[in-house]
Amino acid sequence: MSAPDIGLGAGTGPATARRLSPGAWAAMVTILTGAICLALEPYAPWLFEFPSDWALPMTEWIGAGLGWFLEAIKPAMRVVSAALGGAMDGSNWLFNTVPYPILIALVTAFGWWVGGLRMASLGLVGMGFVLASGYWTESMNTLSLVAVSVPLALFLGGTVGVLANEIPRVKGAVQTVMDVMQTVPTFAYLTPLLLLFGFGPVVGLIASAIYAAPPMARNVILGLERVEMDIKEAAIMSGGTRLQQLFLIEIPSAKTQIMVGVNQCLMAALSMVIIAAVIGGYEDIGWEVLLTMRKAQLGPSLLAGMVIVVFAIVIDRMSLHMATERERHTLRISAGIVAIGVVITLVLWGQATAPGAITLMEPAKDWLDAALSRFLVANGGTLDAIKNGAMFFGLLPVRIGLDGAVLPFTWGFQWTQTMSLVFYAVAAVLGLGLIATGRVVGGLVLVILAGVLETGVVELPWPFVVIAAAAIGWSAGGARLAGFAGIMMAIILVSGLWDKALLSLYLSGVAVLACAVLGGGIGLLCAVSPMAWRVVRPICDMLQTIPLFVFLIPVLMFFGIGEFPAFLAICMYAIVPMIRYTRHGLVMTPDELVEAAVSSGATSAQLMREVRIPYATPTILLGLNQTILYAFAMLVIAALVGTTGLGQSIYLALGQADVGLGIASGAAMAMLALVADRLVQGFAAERRRALGL
C-alpha cells in the first residue's frame, strides 16, 4: 500500500517514515476540537447552540438592499415582461392552433431527417402518447414556454461563452459565476423574479432562460478551446478578420460540442419550466402534475408525470442525435410525412382542431387511480413499516444522534450515558487497531464518525463543524482550500441560518452516502458484467432525462410526505452520476496495467482491488462530486414533500415573496455545495498527482 493510503509520509529515513500525512493531522485536529467541545459543554453551552445575538441580520440586509434595487428596476423589467409575454402568447397561440396531426407529423418528419426510422418512430409514438393522454393542450402550453425560453437561453449562453473565449480575463469570472449558478437552488431564482414580474408564466420563462444559459456557455467555451491550432492558424493565414475567423471557421469547427450545449440547454429549460409551475398557475403540464398531486389523484398525477417524461425523452434523444451524428436522411420522406399529416387534418378537420375531445386514456386514468388506491390500502402497513423503520433506525440517529434517537418506543430501550462511554471506547479500540496496522487516517476517521453518530449531525458543536471543514480542506488542497472551506462555513454560521444548514447537510449527506454505496456497487457490477450494463444503461438514460419535479410523484404516492420520501427522491436523481463514473473509471484502466497484473498472477479480485479501483479513484471522485451537486439541487425540490432545512426556507420565501430569506438561504446552500465540490475536487486532483496523471 502506498504512503498516502496509510497516512505516512513518503520519505525514506526513520524520522521521515513516521511523519504523519496531512490527512492524519487534519483528523487529529478535528478529534481534539470535538473532545474540547464535549468537555466544555456543561460550562459553555454556546459551543453547541450558536447564540442568536451573535448572528448578523443578513436576511434583513439582503432583503433591504435587493428590495430597493428591485423596486428601482421594476418599471424597466415590466416592459421586458410585456415583450416576453407577447412572444409567449404568440408561441402559445401557434402551438394550440396548429392541428395535432400536422404537429405530430412535423415532429415525426424531423425525427426522420435527424435519425431515420428509429427517431421518427420515437417522435410518432411519443407525440401519440401525449395526444392520447388527454393533456394535449397543457403540453402545448409547456412547449410554448420552452420555445421562447430556449432561444433566449441559447443567445445568453452563447454570447457569454464567446466573450469568455475572446477575453481571457473574463473567463475566470465567467467560470466562477457559472459554478455559483449551478449550485444556487432553482427556487432561489424565482423569489426576486416574482417581485419584478409578478405571478404568472413570464417568471417561469425568465427563470428557465437563466437556469438553462450556463450549460450552453460552458459548452461554447469548451468547444472553442478544443478547436485545433492548425485550423486557427489556417484561418489567420487566410487573412480573415477576427470576426470572420470566429464565425466562419472556429464556431463551425466547434459545432459538435456546441450542439451538446443545445441539448443540455433544452433539458434544463424543460426542467425549470416544470418547476416554475409551482408559482405560475399556468395551465401547463407542470401545473397539472402539481394540482393532481395536491388532490391525491394518483392516476392522473402519474399519467401527467409520464407525459413530462415522454417530452423529455423525445427532446433529449433528437437533440443529442443532432449533436453526435452527422448523417442526415432524405428530406423527401420528411416532406411526405408532413403531407400525410395535412391530409389527415383535412379529412378529420373537426376532430383535428379539437384535441381536448380525445379522451382515449380516461379509462386508464381511472383504472390506474383505482389500482394504486387498492395497492396502498392493501400494503399501507408494509409501506409505513418501511418508512418508519428507515426513519427510526437510519435517518433519525444520523440526524439527532444515538443518544436522542434510541428510545423505548422505537428501539425497545433507552440510550444512556454509560452506553455512550462504551460506544466511544469500542470506537477508540477499533481505531487504535487500524492505526496499529498502519491505517492512521482510517483509524482516526472511524473515531470521528463514531462521535458524529453518537451526537447527531444537527447537534454537532459549531466549532467542530467549521474546523473540520477547514481541516479537510487543508488535507485535500492545502492552506488555500482550508481557508475557503472555513470562511464559507463561518459565513453560514453568522448568517443566522446555521441550524437549517445542518439539517440540509444531514439530509443531503445521508443521500450522497447511500448513492455512493449503492451507485458504486451498481457501477462495479456493470464494469464486470456487460449484460448488467445493458440493463442498467437505459434506466440511467431515463433517470437523467426526467425533470426533477417528476421524482416526487412516486415517492409521494407510496410514502406520503416527510424526510424519507425526500431522501428517496434525492437518491433517485443523484445516483446516476455515481453509477456512470464508477463504471467508466473501472473499464478505462489502461490495458498495459491490466496485462502486467495478470502476468504477475493476480486474481480477478486482486486485479479489481489493487489495479482497477486505485486507477479509477479520480474518476469515481468526480462522480461523487456530481452526485453531491445533484443532491443539493434536488434538496429544494424535496421541500415540496415536507423536508426541513434551507430548502424549506427557500420554498417558504417563495410563497411569502421574501427576497432576503430566499436569497440568503439559497446562498447558504450554494456555499455548502461549493465547499463540498472544492473538497472532492481537491482529493481527486491529489489522487491524479499520486498516479502521475
Side-chain angles (χ1 to χ4, degrees):
M1 187 175 291
S2 62
D5 291 331
I6 63 175
L8 300 177
T12 57
T16 308
R18 303 304 303 171
R19 187 172 60 218
L20 291 174
S21 69
W25 279 111
M28 290 177 63
V29 169
T30 304
I31 291 175
L32 181 60
T33 303
I36 292 173
C37 290
L38 287 175
L40 295 178
E41 182 179 7
Y43 314 102
W46 51 267
L47 290 172
F48 285 76
E49 186 70 32
F50 189 75
S52 58
D53 294 340
W54 295 6
L56 300 176
M58 289 188 179
T59 298
E60 290 76 9
W61 291 350
I62 293 173
L66 278 180
W68 173 85
F69 174 73
L70 294 176
E71 285 295 328
I73 65 172
K74 184 181 289 187
M77 292 300 100
R78 290 301 168 95
V79 174
V80 175
S81 175
L84 291 176
M88 193 184 63
D89 289 341
S91 175
N92 189 48
W93 175 85
L94 178 64
F95 276 100
N96 282 284
T97 301
V98 174
Y100 68 81
I102 294 179
L103 191 56
I104 294 176
L106 287 171
V107 174
T108 306
F110 180 76
W112 170 267
W113 178 68
V114 170
L117 181 61
R118 186 177 179 181
M119 287 294 109
S121 301
L122 176 65
L124 178 61
V125 173
M127 296 303 291
F129 176 82
V130 173
L131 176 66
S133 70
Y135 292 122
W136 182 265
T137 301
E138 292 83 358
S139 301
M140 294 304 102
N141 293 340
T142 296
L143 283 185
S144 67
L145 289 172
V146 174
V148 179
S149 64
V150 167
L152 184 58
L154 292 176
F155 174 77
L156 292 175
T159 302
V160 170
V162 171
L163 287 176
N165 180 76
E166 294 300 298
I167 309 174
R169 289 176 297 178
V170 175
K171 183 179 294 186
V174 168
Q175 295 282 13
T176 302
V177 170
M178 287 191 294
D179 287 342
V180 172
M181 291 181 68
Q182 185 180 8
T183 54
V184 171
T186 51
F187 277 0
Y189 294 154
L190 298 178
T191 309
L193 294 176
L194 193 64
L195 289 183
L196 285 176
F197 303 106
F199 284 92
V202 172
V203 175
L205 188 154
I206 297 173
S208 177
I210 294 173
Y211 181 67
M216 184 62 188
R218 286 187 185 278
N219 281 277
V220 169
I221 294 172
L222 185 61
L224 293 176
E225 285 177 346
R226 290 183 175 179
V227 175
E228 296 290 340
M229 188 57 64
D230 293 344
I231 296 176
K232 295 181 179 180
E233 292 175 353
I236 295 172
M237 294 293 291
S238 65
T241 64
R242 179 57 195 147
L243 287 178
Q244 289 174 327
Q245 296 170 28
L246 180 65
F247 287 99
L248 298 181
I249 304 297
E250 294 181 19
I251 289 179
S253 299
K255 176 184 174 183
T256 299
Q257 190 66 47
I258 292 174
M259 287 304 300
V260 172
V262 173
N263 167 263
Q264 295 180 4
C265 182
L266 280 164
M267 299 307 296
L270 178 62
S271 178
M272 190 63 189
V273 162
I274 301 301
I275 293 170
V278 174
I279 63 166
Y282 194 53
E283 292 184 2
D284 60 355
I285 195 65
W287 179 252
E288 189 66 29
V289 171
L290 184 63
L291 196 61
T292 51
M293 283 174 60
R294 287 174 174 172
K295 294 180 179 179
Q297 296 175 340
L298 305 182
S301 178
L302 185 60
L303 192 61
M306 291 172 64
V307 170
I308 297 175
V309 173
V310 167
F311 264 140
I313 291 174
V314 171
I315 292 173
D316 176 67
R317 295 297 181 271
M318 289 190 178
S319 59
L320 193 60
H321 209 82
M322 284 192 66
T324 57
E325 300 293 337
R326 295 184 179 274
E327 181 183 0
R328 297 290 177 261
H329 294 73
T330 174
L331 287 173
R332 286 181 296 179
I333 294 181
S334 295
I337 294 172
V338 175
I340 292 173
V342 172
V343 171
I344 294 175
T345 300
L346 294 175
V347 173
L348 304 174
W349 178 257
Q351 188 181 21
T353 54
I358 298 178
T359 57
L360 296 178
M361 287 196 177
E362 283 300 322
K365 290 181 189 178
D366 296 336
W367 175 86
L368 192 58
D369 198 32
L372 287 171
S373 298
R374 287 194 301 270
F375 176 83
L376 293 177
V377 170
N379 299 277
T382 302
L383 295 174
D384 286 340
I386 294 173
K387 177 181 177 180
N388 294 333
M391 279 299 303
F392 292 144
F393 300 107
L395 297 179
L396 202 57
V398 178
R399 178 180 178 180
I400 61 176
L402 291 171
D403 59 347
V406 179
L407 299 171
F409 77 95
T410 56
W411 288 61
F413 62 91
Q414 178 70 51
W415 189 268
T416 64
Q417 188 173 5
T418 302
M419 292 179 181
S420 294
L421 294 175
V422 172
F423 183 75
Y424 280 127
V426 171
V429 170
L430 294 176
L432 289 173
L434 289 174
I435 293 173
T437 61
R439 297 176 176 86
V440 178
V441 176
L444 295 173
V445 169
L446 177 62
V447 175
I448 294 172
L449 293 177
V452 171
L453 182 59
E454 200 279 336
T455 305
V457 173
V458 301
E459 304 292 336
L460 290 173
W462 57 265
F464 173 84
V465 178
V466 174
I467 292 177
I472 296 172
W474 181 55
S475 175
R480 184 174 181 180
L481 185 53
F484 172 80
I487 290 171
M488 291 293 103
M489 298 304 291
I491 292 174
I492 298 173
L493 177 67
V494 300
S495 69
L497 296 169
W498 183 253
D499 293 340
K500 294 185 179 297
L502 288 184
L503 286 168
S504 296
L505 188 63
Y506 136 74
L507 187 55
S508 59
V510 292
V512 168
L513 178 62
C515 290
V517 174
L518 182 59
I522 296 174
L524 175 62
L525 175 64
C526 293
V528 299
S529 172
M531 181 177 294
W533 179 235
R534 285 195 291 270
V535 174
V536 172
R537 182 177 181 178
I539 298 175
C540 290
D541 291 342
M542 184 186 68
L543 289 175
Q544 281 196 307
T545 56
I546 296 176
L548 285 70
F549 196 67
V550 180
F551 286 98
L552 299 182
I553 298 174
V555 298
L556 192 61
M557 284 180 181
F558 295 113
F559 298 105
I561 62 173
E563 285 185 358
F564 180 63
F567 165 79
L568 290 180
I570 295 171
C571 290
M572 290 168 60
Y573 179 66
I575 196 173
V576 175
M578 200 66 210
I579 297 173
R580 287 189 180 278
Y581 279 83
T582 300
R583 177 197 169 272
H584 180 72
L586 293 174
V587 301
M588 293 303 292
T589 306
D591 293 337
E592 55 269 22
L593 292 181
V594 176
E595 292 171 0
V598 172
S599 62
S600 65
T603 64
S604 298
Q606 290 173 326
L607 177 64
M608 180 62 68
R609 185 175 63 252
E610 304 294 338
V611 179
R612 290 190 182 275
I613 291 179
Y615 189 86
T617 299
T619 304
I620 295 173
L621 286 173
L622 290 178
L624 179 63
N625 174 271
Q626 290 297 306
T627 295
I628 291 170
L629 294 179
Y630 277 39
F632 275 104
M634 189 66 191
L635 198 59
V636 184
I637 310 301
L640 293 171
V641 295
T643 63
T644 54
L646 293 172
Q648 184 191 49
S649 296
I650 295 170
Y651 182 60
L652 291 176
L654 184 62
Q656 300 165 2
D658 188 339
V659 178
L661 179 60
I663 296 298
S665 301
M669 188 173 288
M671 289 177 189
L672 289 176
L674 283 172
V675 168
D677 173 70
R678 296 299 185 267
L679 293 180
V680 174
Q681 285 192 26
F683 282 116
E686 186 276 333
R687 189 59 190 166
R688 283 195 296 270
R689 287 192 297 269
L691 292 171
L693 300 177

